Amino acid sequence: MKEIKTIGVLTSGGDAPGMNASIRAVTRAAIYKGWSVKGICRGYAGLIENEIIDLTTESVSNTIQRGGTLLKSARSKEFMTPEGRAKAYENILKHSIDALVVIGGNGSLAGALAFAKEYDVTCIGLPGTIDNDLYGTDYTIGYDTALNTIVQCVDKIRDTATSHDRIFFVEVMGRDAGFLAQNSAIACGAEAAIIPEDQSNIDQLENFIGRGIRKSKNSSIVLVSESPAAGKGAQYYADRVKKEHPEYEVRVSILGHLQRGGSPSAADRILASRLGVASIVALDEGQRNVMVGVQNDKIVYIPFSRAIKMDKPIDKELIDTLAVLSI
């Protein structure tokens, strides 16, 4: 295996709280090993456009508490093409980058896998996404902070729901994964969570109406996973209630991008720091094309092909717990 002297680090896709902590950890752990570090701005787009800077210990000072990503991020359609990846590889060679650490979600790691196969570039992935949807790791960087942000918002929404006897459908991010919706529903005492993983034959909306509000409640909070692929977000369910149960007053709150921002929680700072250091350990051990994750509080290495292609199941116990507590 080629000796590593210089690594590149980039953040790609949607930003997540804790990405700066990851960049800091990767940079300092690499310098500790005696390696040089190149920061690639704007993800794969910056790799194509040669937006590459030197990172030092000082470069990442006073960043662990900051949200967003100091390297900035982007979604690059050009990198999805062979021509785009060829340009990116030219810049890898130009800067003598021996290995690449990619911090991002499913699409970012899929890009790293394609790049590694095409040009034999050593890549290590860190799971940076608020969705918590990558297989092989219990938690992803940014998930805990986003979860806490949602709970803070829903606590405020409940005050209004209770004051006006309303049903609030609160839409949260998560793409096609229900981890944010399900766990925030439990954490803030919501009456229901409508998530893609609950694929029982029971209509989730009718189940909620029949179980909860018809019995004793005049106000309710329902967390809804955005589910863009299915087109069944909070507005869809609110419209159904207005049509099928006009006796209830309904409101919709779409939390949107505020879930991505904010100073990372202690849990996310610790996770990001651990995974960042572990990525350098992995490179030093000769590992390649793996995602660094955590299972049962232990560092694990998951092949890219498994991390991005296998579905991460949600624990049915969480669904049952909410059902019990929402009576």
Side-chain angles (χ1 to χ4, degrees), residues 10 13-14 20 22 26 77 93 102 114 120 125 141 159 209-210 218 239 255 263 267 273 275 295 309:
L10 63 84
N20 284 326
S22 292
V26 168
K77 291 184 178 179
L93 296 177
V102 175
D120 196 30
I141 297 163
D159 291 342
I209 293 286
N218 294 319
D239 289 343
L255 298 187
S263 179
S273 297
L275 297 185
Q295 294 178 8
K309 292 179 181 178

Side-chain angles (χ1 to χ4, degrees), residues 24-229:
R24 173 181 180 270
V26 168
T27 300
R28 293 192 169 183
I31 292 171
Y32 182 82
K33 290 293 300 178
W35 301 344
S36 297
V37 184
K38 300 288 184 178
I40 301 160
C41 302
R42 296 196 310 114
Y44 293 123
L47 188 56
I48 291 170
E49 298 298 327
N50 196 28
E51 298 175 20
I52 300 174
I53 61 175
D54 292 320
L55 289 182
T56 64
T57 297
E58 292 74 19
S59 301
V60 295
S61 294
N62 196 31
T63 60
I64 195 170
Q65 79 281 9
R66 289 165 50 188
T69 162
L70 64 92
L71 289 177
K72 301 190 181 296
S73 188
R75 290 183 168 90
S76 175
K77 291 184 178 179
E78 189 176 2
F79 191 76
M80 298 178 187
T81 67
E83 295 78 12
R85 291 191 293 274
K87 290 180 184 177
Y89 186 62
E90 288 177 11
N91 289 321
I92 289 280
L93 296 177
K94 184 182 295 184
H95 291 272
S96 301
I97 294 172
D98 302 308
L100 200 58
V101 177
V102 175
I103 307 167
N106 192 288
S108 303
L109 300 191
L113 178 59
F115 196 41
K117 285 182 175 179
E118 202 164 359
Y119 290 101
D120 196 30
V121 176
T122 296
C123 293
I124 300 292
L126 298 187
T129 168
I130 67 170
D131 300 338
N132 200 38
D133 61 346
L134 285 167
Y135 178 85
T137 184
D138 292 342
Y139 301 106
T140 59
I141 297 163
Y143 169 69
D144 183 73
T145 305
L147 188 63
N148 280 284
T149 298
I150 292 168
V151 170
Q152 291 168 9
C153 292
V154 174
D155 285 348
K156 293 177 171 63
I157 289 171
R158 183 175 288 284
D159 291 342
T160 295
T162 303
S163 298
H164 295 276
D165 290 342
R166 291 170 176 164
I167 302 174
F168 261 90
F169 288 93
V170 182
E171 183 175 301
V172 300
M173 286 182 168
R175 206 170 53 173
D176 297 313
F179 294 96
L180 282 172
Q182 188 67 43
N183 283 301
S184 61
I186 294 172
C188 61
E191 279 65 39
I194 298 178
I195 60 173
E197 292 89 345
D198 192 358
Q199 297 294 340
S200 63
N201 292 325
I202 300 172
D203 185 306
Q204 292 187 66
L205 179 64
E206 280 301 320
N207 189 36
F208 150 66
I209 293 286
R211 185 184 71 236
I213 192 123
R214 279 183 178 167
K215 291 181 180 178
S216 60
K217 299 178 181 179
N218 294 319
S219 66
S220 293
I221 301 285
V222 181
L223 274 293
V224 183
S225 189
E226 60 184 345
S227 304

